[in-house]
Amino acid sequence: MLDLLKKYFRSRWPKRAGNHVIRTLETGGEWTVAPADGTGETAATVSDAPRSPSVDPFQQMLEQGRCALLLRPQIAENLDESQVRQAQEAFDTMASRTPAGPVILQGWRRGELEALNDARTGPCRVLVDELFLDRYAVTNGQFLAFVAAGGYAQETLWNPSAWQRVNEFVDRGDLPGPRGWHSGTFAEGEADHPVVGVCWYEADAYARWAGKRLPADAEWVKAASWPVVAEDGGLVERKYPWGDTPAPQKANLWNRAKRGTLPVADLPAGASAGGAIQLIGNVWEWTSSSLQIVSERGRVRLDRPLKIIRGGAYDTYFENQITCQFQSADSSFARRHNIGFRCAISACDIGGLLSVQREPGQALGESTVSQEISV
Amino acid sequence: MTKWGFQPIDTYERVEYASQTSCCVCDGGNRFDAEFCRHCRAPLALTLQTDPKKSPPQLVAVVGPPRVGKTVYLGMLTDILSRQQGALQVLARGAFSVSLQQQSMSALARRQFPPGTPVDPEGWNWVHFEVSNSPRRRPEQYVMPDISGEAFLQEVERGHGAPVIRAFLSKCSAALVLVDAEALEQGDQEPDFLAMKTVSYLVEMNRHRRKGWPARPVAIVFAKSDQSELCFDDPEEYARTHTPGLWRQCKERLSRHRFFSTSVIGACAPLHIRGEVTSMPLRIEPRGVEEPFIWIAKQLTK
């Protein structure tokens, strides 16, 4: 596994491979690749030393839901055919494909920005590359695997600005974990409920550990609203993932008798065209994008940086705030009772193994680039 | 050119003028066709809608300093209670009762805060609704005005706010005292002092052990609590640690009180525009809005 890691790492950072260290972490017995100069650049972490000698690292990673990491070309080419097939099958059950194409992001409605007077409220058209978005939000059970693997102790997984405060990310028993947990674990019977009470940085660290990333705002909207190019070149988008009509029975929203989160696989009737479940309702979802409000005189200064969240939650009150286009935000350090996340990975990052059509000249491992065009 | 003449007054009008309409807030007499009470400026529509002799309405005060969120809270409370199909059914009485709900909800849905309540009582919104707990019991009527924070502070600190405030508070059966938890979280002690003043003012107004404020239900509600999970987990403990003065006042002077936490706005974005800071609600997620009112309703039916 160590050789495999080195190979993967050298292919990803060919020019700087010599400056990196590979070390084992005491917690969880994992291999971690980190820049020797401590710059905190994205690193790879792969379990290599299983806790029990009978556990195969490959199986362990599959069980942890880290098949995206196994399917990265640099690692996958070292796996045998059956292992790749296993990883692919696991990935197929977890991820929904969103094709490349344009999406329209509606601006904030004019009435909402009355205070700004001159704010730009028009829509903008964004081109999104092909990606795989998780079918389900990350569950408590999945996040427990991250905590148990020492995710909160691995500096390389964390954004440098969050690492300074990582010891604040504790549960009610002062152990590392989501805010609502008790003594390092979640409430009984909630293993398949979405993990909440995690800030943006915790979500980001988990995604990195799983070999994925958080979806960008436009990617999330593209997956939910599933735009189709009409004959006249315009885009037809869905208001809700299931269509244009509000259907309270298809999402976990305010009007449900019992208020709280539901298991992530519930309410399949509300799935998006791509098969992602509960994009609307249950919990808000962190995206990788920052909130920016632009006026004619330039960008409006926010008091603190805010990250965009999407989708609405079980306690979102107004119907106009639970559409695919409704954008909200919160502080990147906020650990709310109703904000969770789901991960994404660009098709180009695992492309070759999933028979994804790539544009000629597009290299493996190239990150998604979205292009913003004013309409 | 003005022409003078005699217009006979109809008999029914003479009768109406002869019998005065008694204001349901201050008991002052008024002409039958007056819009507001000439003594306290409360709307007389309330008196006409309720029959004080038959079933006097429960007057409940929602008080607190300016910008603590009284209008948002009251608007959201009436909206939630009138929408839900649960055990507590609420029906608005009169079009003016819906005005507060309408104004608050329209503003919040557009991600704006409703405009502040004017100091002049004639500009206040009064909510009058019927609450039915069970199909077998007769519905209870509640009157809850959206009292201006500025006027209330003037009354508490200097005793010369709007007369309607004193008249209403002396007659009302219960109160919700709103405390700014967001300011407390930022280390500001002002909300503690203001709430202490409020409790002290209420108790001094009527110190009777059985009929006065010491025996009336008072809900201390930490508003804008979304920033602190402790506040939601254990409001009493939060009060003990964050508002020790208020906590002690309540323990010593109010026999029927309870601490609650509430929030309506999920998150706010403070925007710096042309040198001014404007707060914009980013989403609406009511939490703990009904509980204080349900507790008060239960206390009043005991």
Side-chain angles (χ1 to χ4, degrees), chain A residues 108-118 172 179 254 259 284 291 293 297 300-304 306 309 313 315-321 326-330 335-339, chain B residues 75-76 78-81 83-84 104-112 225-229 233 265-274 277-278 280-287 290:
Chain A
W108 289 31
R109 291 191 300 175
R110 193 164 293 280
E112 294 175 334
L113 294 172
E114 230 164 48
L116 306 180
N117 292 327
D118 55 358
R172 290 162 197 259
R179 197 184 64 185
W254 174 270
R259 211 159 288 150
W284 289 97
L291 180 70
I293 299 174
R297 295 175 198 174
V300 174
R301 191 163 67 84
L302 292 162
D303 203 28
R304 58 184 186 277
L306 299 172
I309 54 172
D315 56 354
T316 304
Y317 194 69
F318 289 116
E319 284 183 5
N320 69 346
Q321 299 190 353
F326 183 81
Q327 187 186 59
S328 188
D330 216 317
R335 307 177 86 211
R336 303 277 189 186
H337 65 286
N338 61 356
I339 305 182
Chain B
M76 185 52 80
T78 48
D79 199 60
I80 290 175
L81 292 178
R83 274 167 60 157
Q84 74 178 16
S104 307
M105 293 304 105
S106 310
L108 292 174
R110 292 195 310 269
R111 294 205 259 207
Q112 290 169 359
S225 298
D226 55 293
Q227 299 297 323
S228 168
E229 204 59 21
D233 290 347
I265 311 297
C268 268
L271 308 173
H272 294 254
I273 306 157
R274 294 181 280 277
V277 181
T278 307
M280 177 187 286
L282 290 169
R283 57 184 182 277
I284 308 303
E285 293 165 352
R287 253 180 119 183
E290 311 103 295

Side-chain angles (χ1 to χ4, degrees), chain B residues 4-81:
Chain B
W4 292 90
F6 290 97
Q7 178 70 34
I9 297 175
D10 288 339
T11 319
Y12 72 90
E13 282 187 329
R14 270 184 274 172
V15 172
E16 294 279 16
Y17 279 119
S19 65
Q20 293 211 325
T21 306
S22 176
C23 171
C24 73
V25 174
C26 70
D27 296 327
N30 292 276
R31 273 172 48 167
F32 83 99
D33 56 353
E35 195 179 345
F36 294 96
C37 170
R38 64 193 171 96
H39 307 282
C40 73
R41 314 307 296 160
L44 283 174
L46 284 171
T47 308
L48 301 174
Q49 279 176 196
T50 56
D51 186 351
K53 287 173 193 162
K54 205 172 177 183
S55 57
Q58 301 279 14
L59 307 184
V60 177
V62 179
V63 291
R67 286 177 294 281
V68 75
K70 295 179 294 298
T71 306
V72 167
Y73 175 78
L74 205 46
M76 185 52 80
L77 176 72
T78 48
D79 199 60
I80 290 175
L81 292 178

